[in-house]
Amino acid sequence: MSKIRVAVFGSTGSVGRSALEVIAHLSARLKLVAIACQRSVAVVCAQAERYRVPVVGVSDPEAGAAVQKQLGRKYQVLAGYQGLEEYSRVGDYDLLVMAMAGTGGLDVVLNALRRGKRVALASKELLVAYGEAIMGICRRYRAAILPVDSELAAIHQCLDNRGVANVRRVILTASGGPFWRQGPPPDASRAQVLRHPTWRMGRKITVDSATLMNKGLEVIETVRLFGLKPEQVETVIHPESIVHSMVEFRDGSILAQLSVPDMRLPIQYALTYPERLDSLVSPLSFERCRELRFVPVERHRFPCLDLAYQALQAGSAGTTALNAANEVAVNAFLAGKIAFGMIPDIIKSALEIFAPKKPKKYQLSELRQLEARVTDFARAVIAGNRRG
């Protein structure tokens, strides 16, 4: 059996690093053929040499030149985003892991889908902002998107190719982040926000978890990826992060996927589907995990979740605006420019201006232009409300 050739874009982030571990563990089935990052020169060079990857991409041109100098001619270095695009269009790979932050990897994903490739998607912002267009292209070219999110991977496993006509509802579980008991304090510090009780993730997704925007983005992802209606997707806080999501069928049966909270499991599922192979993940011990709590989300305490549902009702323009405003607001909070409590205010203002009253179809070019306008708007709002 020939090995599956895997390219990992976003290899220096938390998901990317875990993906490399999984590929190395399953080297009899998987072959790492390319890695890419934005500008982490030292890390990506170390990965190239450790895993002996022939192709190394760096979207920042200056960082790409530094990588080429350090690695030498033994490696093919793709310097600049155009190099990454070109590889996605003509490179020798079977499966693309897209773990680059934000929506910057859109063209890379579209190129892979147009070639009928499988995409293991960790960049949830892509489905949030451009999901309708992405799924249309996926169906047209008979490609496949496998979610790397633990929650969406759980849904995929519970559905197991059953048609959504059989589904009554999907229940997304949320850890609730550090503030699940009382809701996010408006004056929370960065240290408090980034102290996630269960998962070790990148800073942006950790902030989204604290506001519950991460769950809102997953609601949108779920609707887009599986073709469900917004009212079929519910959320519940599950602090133990053992049950990763549930699907209730029309007959009243509920299927759930359980495991220890370890991103290597949904990554391996996406890389090896439909096979089930031995993994690096520890078995779940029920002796050590005797209590599983499920707490209703008090929506008034987590306005970002409500904003996600509102954006979904407005269609692609609404979700694009939501995602762009949230990204700017979270980055501003992490940079110390705004208070934590301003994040939902900025998003709400953007939706009021840019989300249409009735959803309609948009071209990708129109959504990209909208994303740029919302980004400029959110930055202007922040510039006028700088702290101190």
Side-chain angles (χ1 to χ4, degrees):
M1 183 181 293
S2 60
K3 293 184 180 182
I4 300 170
R5 299 167 298 175
V6 184
V8 179
F9 280 30
S11 66
T12 60
S14 59
V15 171
R17 292 194 300 270
S18 294
L20 298 190
E21 288 183 37
V22 171
I23 294 167
H25 169 65
L26 298 176
S27 59
R29 289 289 292 116
L30 305 173
K31 180 180 180 181
L32 184 63
V33 295
I35 56 177
C37 70
Q38 185 175 5
R39 61 171 69 91
S40 301
V41 175
V43 178
V44 81
C45 286
Q47 289 176 339
E49 293 173 340
R50 177 181 178 184
Y51 296 103
R52 299 180 181 178
V53 193
V55 180
V56 182
V58 187
S59 59
D60 181 274
E62 291 185 8
V67 168
Q68 181 71 82
K69 182 177 180 180
Q70 184 167 331
L71 291 179
R73 296 181 179 179
K74 294 185 297 181
Y75 299 85
Q76 179 186 356
V77 177
L78 312 172
Y81 185 71
Q82 287 184 337
L84 274 61
E85 262 197 272
E86 180 68 13
Y87 180 83
S88 67
R89 192 161 39 242
V90 301
D92 290 328
Y93 64 93
D94 303 304
L95 188 153
L96 172 73
V97 178
M98 175 47 69
M100 299 176 76
T103 58
L106 175 62
D107 292 311
V108 169
V109 168
L110 295 180
N111 288 338
L113 294 177
R114 289 183 178 120
R115 295 178 66 190
K117 303 294 185 180
R118 178 181 290 187
V119 175
L121 189 61
S123 305
K124 64 185 62 183
E125 293 87 353
L126 285 173
L127 280 181
V128 171
Y130 303 112
E132 290 181 346
I134 289 173
M135 294 310 298
I137 291 171
C138 184
R139 289 188 292 268
R140 179 179 176 184
Y141 291 93
R142 298 183 180 180
I145 295 177
L146 274 295
V148 170
D149 273 308
S150 61
E151 294 82 2
L152 272 79
I155 296 168
H156 194 278
Q157 292 173 74
C158 292
L159 286 174
D160 194 24
N161 288 320
R162 299 178 182 88
V164 295
N166 298 311
V167 174
R168 178 177 292 163
R169 61 175 174 156
V170 165
I171 305 160
L172 290 169
T173 56
S175 68
F179 309 124
W180 68 270
R181 287 184 176 85
Q182 76 276 24
D187 59 349
S189 67
R190 274 174 290 177
Q192 290 174 310
V193 172
L194 294 174
R195 197 177 299 128
H196 197 283
T198 308
W199 296 95
R200 295 181 65 184
M201 308 174 290
R203 300 204 318 161
K204 195 266 183 183
I205 192 173
T206 305
V207 176
D208 285 345
S209 180
T211 64
L212 236 58
M213 176 57 86
N214 190 50
K215 207 52 48 182
L217 299 180
E218 287 172 5
V219 169
I220 298 169
E221 271 191 292
T222 301
V223 169
R224 298 265 166 80
L225 188 61
F226 300 108
L228 295 166
K229 298 176 182 178
E231 57 269 24
Q232 289 180 282
V233 185
E234 301 179 7
T235 61
V236 64
I237 290 176
H238 171 51
E240 291 76 24
S241 297
I242 297 297
V243 177
H244 298 292
S245 276
M246 297 172 275
V247 176
E248 181 181 16
F249 295 91
R250 292 173 63 189
D251 62 1
S253 297
I254 295 179
L255 297 186
Q257 187 262 328
L258 288 72
S259 73
V260 297
D262 190 321
M263 280 303 298
R264 292 176 297 182
L265 187 56
I267 290 168
Q268 177 169 317
Y269 177 77
L271 295 183
T272 62
Y273 176 81
E275 292 185 274
R276 296 283 190 172
L277 305 175
D278 290 340
S279 77
L280 294 166
V281 178
S282 302
L284 180 62
S285 170
F286 286 97
E287 290 77 14
R288 297 179 61 184
C289 181
R290 297 185 178 183
E291 183 181 26
L292 299 177
R293 293 167 290 175
F294 300 95
V295 182
V297 178
E298 296 183 59
R299 297 270 284 269
H300 67 281
R301 295 184 184 273
F302 294 94
C304 283
L305 181 58
D306 266 340
L307 291 171
Y309 275 100
Q310 292 174 30
L312 190 52
Q313 295 293 343
S316 291
T319 56
T320 297
L322 173 97
N323 183 69
N326 179 65
E327 187 162 338
V328 172
V330 169
N331 288 336
F333 166 70
L334 289 171
K337 296 179 181 178
I338 62 170
F340 184 57
M342 275 194 67
I343 293 175
D345 296 336
I346 292 167
I347 299 166
K348 182 179 179 181
S349 297
L351 290 179
E352 288 173 349
I353 294 174
F354 295 99
K357 301 300 180 184
K358 294 182 179 180
K360 66 175 185 178
K361 288 189 176 181
Y362 289 84
Q363 300 294 322
L364 273 171
S365 58
E366 294 177 300
L367 293 176
R368 281 175 151 161
Q369 291 169 8
L370 175 63
E371 185 177 45
R373 293 200 304 273
V374 175
T375 297
D376 290 342
F377 167 81
R379 287 173 177 166
V381 171
I382 290 165
N385 291 275
R386 288 189 184 276
R387 304 179 72 181

